[in-house]
Amino acid sequence: MTSSGFGDAAGRPAAPAPVVVSEPAEPALREAVPAEGDFERLRELLLGGERRELAAARARIEELERAQRDLPGRLPDAAVEALRSEHGNPRVAAALSEPVAQALGAAVQTHRQSLVDALFPILGPMIRKSIAEALRSLVANLNGAIESSFTVRGLKWRFEAWRGGVPYAEVVLKHRLAYGIDHVFLIERASGLVLHHASAPGLPPLDADAIAGMLTALGDFVGDSVGGDGSGALESAQVGEDLVWVEHGPRANLACFVHGVPPAQLRTLMEQRLEEVHARLLALPADAPLRSIGDDALVRERLEPSVLLRDTDEATAPVAARKPSRLPLLLIALLAIALLGGFAWQRWRWDARVDALRARLAAHPGFMLTGIDARAWRALTVHGLLDPDAEPLDAVLADAGLGAVVPVLDANGYVCADDAVIARRAARLLAPPASAAIAVHGRVLRLSGTAPQPWIDAALARAPWIAGVARVESTLAPTGDAVADARAEIARIVAELQARHVAFVQDDEPVAGADAVVDELAASLRRIAALAPVARVDVETVAYGSNDDSGGSEANARVRAQRAQWLERALVARGIAGARVADAAEPSDAPNRRGAELRTVVHEAHR
Amino acid sequence: MTPLTHKVCMLGDFGVGKTSLVARYVRSTFSDKYLTTVGVKVDSKEVALPGRDPLKLVLWDIAGRSALDAPSTSYLRGASALLLVADGTRETSLSSALNLLMQSRSTLPDAVAVLAVNKLDLVERWEVAATTLSELRRSLPVFETSALSGAGVEEAFAEIARRLPG
């Protein structure tokens, strides 16, 4: 066994002691080296306490590390629990306030979008609510304006806007946006002391001196802070619907505490009032203190809130202020009355003429009026049924007196059974000689007078077939020398026929009434055709055109041919065939006019 | 009858107790926050003196400072009297009050001036010597006041009212 060799009493390590090895060497060596269990015991003896403390510390560290790891999971519950605690709440809130504020600040800088995303669901409803409130207010005002538009008050406002030359909306706003003046302060500019103060009735008392002082101090503060060169001053301050307007004068300031939305005229009125106050200040005796202006009755009266309100309203009502002449209004009214009267008179005149036309058309034989479409002094259309044998309506329509309006006839044909129309129809179809007369009474056709026997025979045979004729009564007597009478009659008819002509406006455009002339020509030709066999003659009819002096010879020849052809076609349309067209040839008498006429040549019949 | 109104400015170093003196003397209309924002707070107090018509004092409590700057000078305009306030426990505040008086004389050469040495309730800690106050009383009225107990407060304001024209 060797010495322990662990050191001296001072704790210094001892030098290793020589080890004497004898045989057998191996077992001795094994004995000299301490076994593992010995080390442990030595460790336990020397370091046992420290090792236990170390183990406890290690366990504590592990415990803390475990707690640290679990902290994020337990922190929300712990915070909730702490905030719930009656005593812990203020401490926890105070402890969290600073880091939360810092965290929010940092988040605003670094995670702005996240914050926006988070706040959006909150801000959206708030903004919508605010907009909804504003819109509700706007709608209320609009409703008021719309409602007022149809009331006496609304009309009065419109009249006020018209006379004042301002938009209607401005007048509505002026009346709808109520405002009131709560307090009026006249304040000494230098000291801020109250020179005069007036409040609206019903308001609680206030420390006018303190308020005037603070207002002055605020004005000085604003002027000194942002006024720059000293010219700036506090002229207005607004919180919500409460407003302070301050007017500055060289010696005194005028302040009005207003609620609502005052018109700009109040500001102007304040300027005027302050000028009046300064004028009164100048009139004060030299030794009179400035504050004596507050005892001035006129100043007190002029600075009353109710007086300021009244004067502002008058200033915003241009009607009352200007008192414009009523002459323009009167002239406009007279003009309007004259226009209305003129319109009514014109309308009455038109209606009277249309009524007269309606009466004449209704009484016109052979025409059945079904309606009149009329636009006063613009257009008129007559609707109805017209018998071809009726008197033309041209004259009736032309005499209607409708000014520049040309009546339009929209007529369909029909057969009329009026006596007058039947008589015209019978005369057209029978072509009686001048010595014979046709009359119709109660649809009974009466033939009287004298006529050649052949014509009498033909007339009596055809008369019952005439539309509208119920019965035929005849007292006709045959003439003596039928041939001579017929020739004389033909000669007379030819003379009449050749005296007539169809007039043209230009080229082949006939004048109004040309159809009536053609009708007469056709009737004459029928009569001649009826008399020719009795007179034992042949009659040749030639249609000529004629022209006046204007135009060249070629053009006139062409026009003459066109007019002759037009007349021939018109006769054919009326059942008269056989008329020869003379083309460009002129009749022997060659009338100098724009027309077309017939010339007849009578020959002995070749039998 | 409307009482005559006079503007009284209160000047003094920071923390000498001006606002406390006003609070002891009047019931304020406005919050003290105006002192830190605008730099002034205005109150009024009607004073009745025997044998005289009542006066109204409009008190401009100007935020504490040892020297006048431009805003403070503008607040002095039109003042009839100055109430200088010093803290008895801080001798430097007395110097500041006297300094403010000298500065304000350029703006208000004829204003009534009264000195209130405040915090009489802490008289055992006063740095201002009685001899100093005696010396000062030769040139202006001096009152030892306590905003805490109210001692001397009414008297100081009454003295101002007495010295103002009626």
Side-chain angles (χ1 to χ4, degrees):
Chain A
M1 186 71 188
T2 60
S3 64
S4 66
F6 283 101
D8 58 11
R12 288 187 295 270
V19 175
V20 179
V21 179
S22 59
E23 292 296 335
E26 188 66 27
L29 181 61
R30 195 179 296 126
E31 192 173 328
V33 177
E36 188 66 25
D38 295 336
F39 275 121
E40 285 301 317
R41 279 195 299 277
L42 282 172
R43 279 199 192 99
E44 184 63 29
L45 284 171
L46 293 173
L47 304 171
E50 287 80 355
R51 291 181 70 186
R52 281 191 294 276
E53 287 176 6
L54 187 60
R58 187 176 291 122
R60 177 68 180 150
I61 288 170
E62 287 176 356
E63 176 74 15
L64 287 173
E65 285 177 349
R66 187 164 51 79
Q68 184 72 18
R69 284 196 302 273
D70 296 344
L71 184 59
R74 290 193 296 111
L75 191 56
D77 292 337
V80 170
E81 186 63 29
L83 287 169
R84 252 187 222 150
S85 164
E86 187 178 349
H87 302 293
N89 186 356
R91 285 186 59 234
V92 173
L96 289 176
S97 63
E98 186 61 26
V100 167
Q102 287 180 1
L104 278 175
V108 167
Q109 297 293 331
T110 57
H111 300 90
R112 184 166 299 172
Q113 189 57 45
S114 300
L115 278 177
V116 169
D117 293 343
L119 289 175
F120 182 75
I122 303 169
L123 291 177
M126 288 173 65
I127 293 169
R128 279 197 296 275
K129 186 178 178 185
S130 174
I131 292 173
E133 287 294 329
L135 282 177
R136 194 172 295 122
S137 172
L138 178 64
V139 167
N141 276 339
L142 283 177
N143 282 341
I146 292 168
E147 286 168 7
S148 67
S149 297
F150 303 103
T151 61
V152 174
R153 186 179 61 179
L155 292 174
K156 186 179 169 188
W157 289 353
R158 283 199 180 279
F159 187 66
E160 181 180 335
W162 173 68
R163 293 196 68 184
V166 295
Y168 174 67
E170 189 175 314
V171 176
V172 172
L173 278 179
K174 186 193 84 175
H175 290 286
R176 297 288 305 177
L177 296 178
Y179 72 99
I181 301 174
D182 295 334
H183 305 283
V184 179
F185 288 84
L186 184 64
I187 304 168
E188 187 180 0
R189 183 185 177 98
S191 65
L193 296 175
V194 175
L195 299 176
H196 172 68
H197 161 243
S199 297
L203 294 176
L206 48 77
D207 189 343
D209 294 291
I211 289 173
M214 279 308 298
L215 191 59
T216 305
L218 282 171
D220 292 342
F221 170 71
V222 172
D224 291 336
S225 303
V226 298
D229 57 357
S231 59
L234 179 69
E235 294 187 341
S236 68
Q238 182 170 8
V239 178
E241 290 196 344
D242 296 317
L243 178 69
V244 182
W245 275 356
V246 185
E247 278 299 318
H248 298 271
R251 299 180 70 185
N253 297 337
L254 182 62
C256 279
F257 287 63
V258 184
H259 66 265
V261 183
Q265 284 83 353
L266 175 60
R267 175 71 86 172
T268 308
L269 190 68
M270 288 173 64
E271 290 176 12
Q272 294 171 355
R273 291 290 191 270
L274 192 58
E275 289 164 6
E276 292 170 14
V277 167
H278 278 80
R280 306 288 292 182
L281 285 172
L282 289 175
L284 284 177
D287 57 343
L290 197 62
R291 56 179 169 266
S292 63
I293 194 69
D295 299 328
D296 189 314
L298 183 64
V299 170
R300 298 177 74 87
E301 189 266 332
R302 301 283 277 171
L303 295 184
E304 270 298 309
S306 58
V307 174
L308 286 172
L309 273 177
R310 182 198 66 196
D311 294 349
T312 304
D313 285 344
E314 287 179 1
T316 53
V319 180
R322 291 180 193 161
K323 294 192 183 306
S325 168
R326 292 177 184 274
L327 186 59
L329 184 63
L330 192 62
L331 288 175
I332 290 171
L334 285 174
L335 185 62
I337 291 171
L339 286 174
L340 282 173
F343 175 77
W345 183 74
Q346 285 283 345
R347 185 61 196 236
W348 174 84
R349 208 158 61 98
W350 169 266
D351 289 344
R353 294 185 181 190
V354 170
D355 289 344
L357 175 64
R358 183 179 287 110
R360 290 184 65 187
L361 289 172
H364 189 86
F367 181 71
M368 181 175 289
L369 180 65
T370 57
I372 294 178
D373 289 336
R375 284 190 297 152
W377 303 108
R378 292 191 178 185
L380 184 139
T381 303
V382 175
H383 303 281
L385 304 173
L386 180 64
D387 189 296
D389 290 311
E391 283 278 355
L393 290 173
D394 298 346
V396 177
L397 297 176
D399 292 344
L402 301 179
V405 177
V406 177
V408 175
L409 178 63
D410 174 26
N412 293 319
Y414 89 117
V415 177
C416 178
D418 285 353
D419 289 346
V421 178
I422 292 172
R424 285 176 59 83
R425 191 178 299 134
R428 175 174 63 84
L429 294 174
L430 300 179
S435 57
I438 292 176
V440 178
H441 296 286
R443 300 178 61 195
V444 175
L445 175 64
R446 291 192 176 91
L447 302 174
S448 58
T450 59
Q453 188 59 50
W455 184 86
I456 294 173
D457 296 340
L460 291 176
R462 296 172 62 187
W465 296 98
I466 296 172
V469 173
R471 186 157 51 90
V472 179
E473 292 178 357
S474 175
T475 57
L476 286 169
T479 52
D481 186 350
V483 174
D485 290 345
R487 291 190 176 193
E489 180 67 13
I490 287 172
R492 184 185 64 78
I493 295 171
V494 166
E496 287 179 359
L497 182 143
Q498 295 191 157
R500 293 194 180 92
H501 78 280
V502 179
F504 286 80
V505 178
Q506 61 180 5
D507 294 339
D508 59 350
E509 179 189 350
V511 299
D515 286 344
V517 176
V518 177
D519 287 343
E520 290 171 359
L521 292 175
S524 297
L525 288 177
R526 284 193 201 95
R527 175 70 183 139
I528 291 172
L531 290 172
V534 178
R536 295 172 189 165
V537 292
D538 292 330
V539 178
E540 182 184 2
T541 304
V542 182
Y544 285 94
S546 58
N547 58 270
D548 56 12
D549 293 336
S550 61
S553 58
E554 288 185 9
N556 285 335
R558 177 178 52 80
V559 168
R560 285 197 300 274
Q562 287 176 346
R563 289 169 184 169
Q565 289 161 5
W566 180 92
L567 180 57
E568 189 268 343
R569 285 196 301 273
L571 291 171
V572 170
R574 286 163 176 76
I576 306 297
R580 183 168 62 82
V581 176
D583 292 331
E586 292 180 278
S588 56
D589 47 355
N592 182 18
R593 63 192 176 200
R594 297 178 180 179
E597 47 256 294
L598 295 175
R599 296 290 182 265
T600 55
V601 180
V602 180
H603 308 281
E604 287 292 334
H606 301 286
R607 305 225 168 129
Chain B
M1 178 181 171
T2 307
L4 278 179
T5 310
H6 294 280
K7 177 177 177 179
V8 179
C9 289
M10 300 183 66
L11 292 173
D13 207 347
F14 180 77
V16 296
K18 298 185 297 299
T19 305
S20 301
L21 284 179
V22 173
R24 166 63 67 175
Y25 189 56
V26 301
R27 184 175 175 184
S28 290
T29 301
F30 298 106
S31 161
D32 289 348
K33 69 183 179 187
Y34 290 100
L35 281 169
T36 53
T37 53
V38 184
V40 68
K41 182 169 76 77
V42 183
D43 291 294
S44 72
K45 171 80 173 180
E46 195 165 321
V47 183
L49 294 174
R52 285 186 57 178
D53 291 333
L55 287 178
K56 181 178 265 191
L57 302 183
V58 180
L59 304 174
W60 286 51
D61 180 6
I62 299 171
R65 62 200 66 210
S66 56
L68 287 176
D69 53 10
S72 301
T73 305
S74 69
Y75 292 153
L76 292 178
R77 281 198 299 262
S80 302
L82 297 173
L83 178 59
L84 304 161
V85 184
D87 179 357
T89 65
R90 284 189 292 147
E91 193 163 15
T92 54
S93 69
L94 181 60
S95 303
S96 297
L98 297 175
N99 184 39
L100 289 168
L101 175 62
M102 292 302 108
Q103 288 186 4
S104 62
R105 282 302 181 203
S106 61
T107 308
L108 304 168
D110 302 322
V112 171
V114 170
L115 175 64
V117 185
N118 199 23
K119 302 192 181 177
L120 186 59
D121 48 291
L122 300 175
V123 69
E124 70 279 1
R125 289 163 50 185
W126 272 30
E127 292 177 354
V128 178
T131 52
T132 306
L133 295 181
S134 301
E135 195 67 26
L136 282 171
R137 282 194 175 93
R138 292 184 177 180
S139 52
L140 77 168
V142 178
F143 290 85
E144 296 169 12
T145 61
S146 170
L148 189 64
S149 67
V153 178
E154 290 278 351
E155 290 79 357
F157 284 107
E159 180 62 23
I160 290 174
R162 261 192 298 276
R163 288 171 176 261
L164 288 171

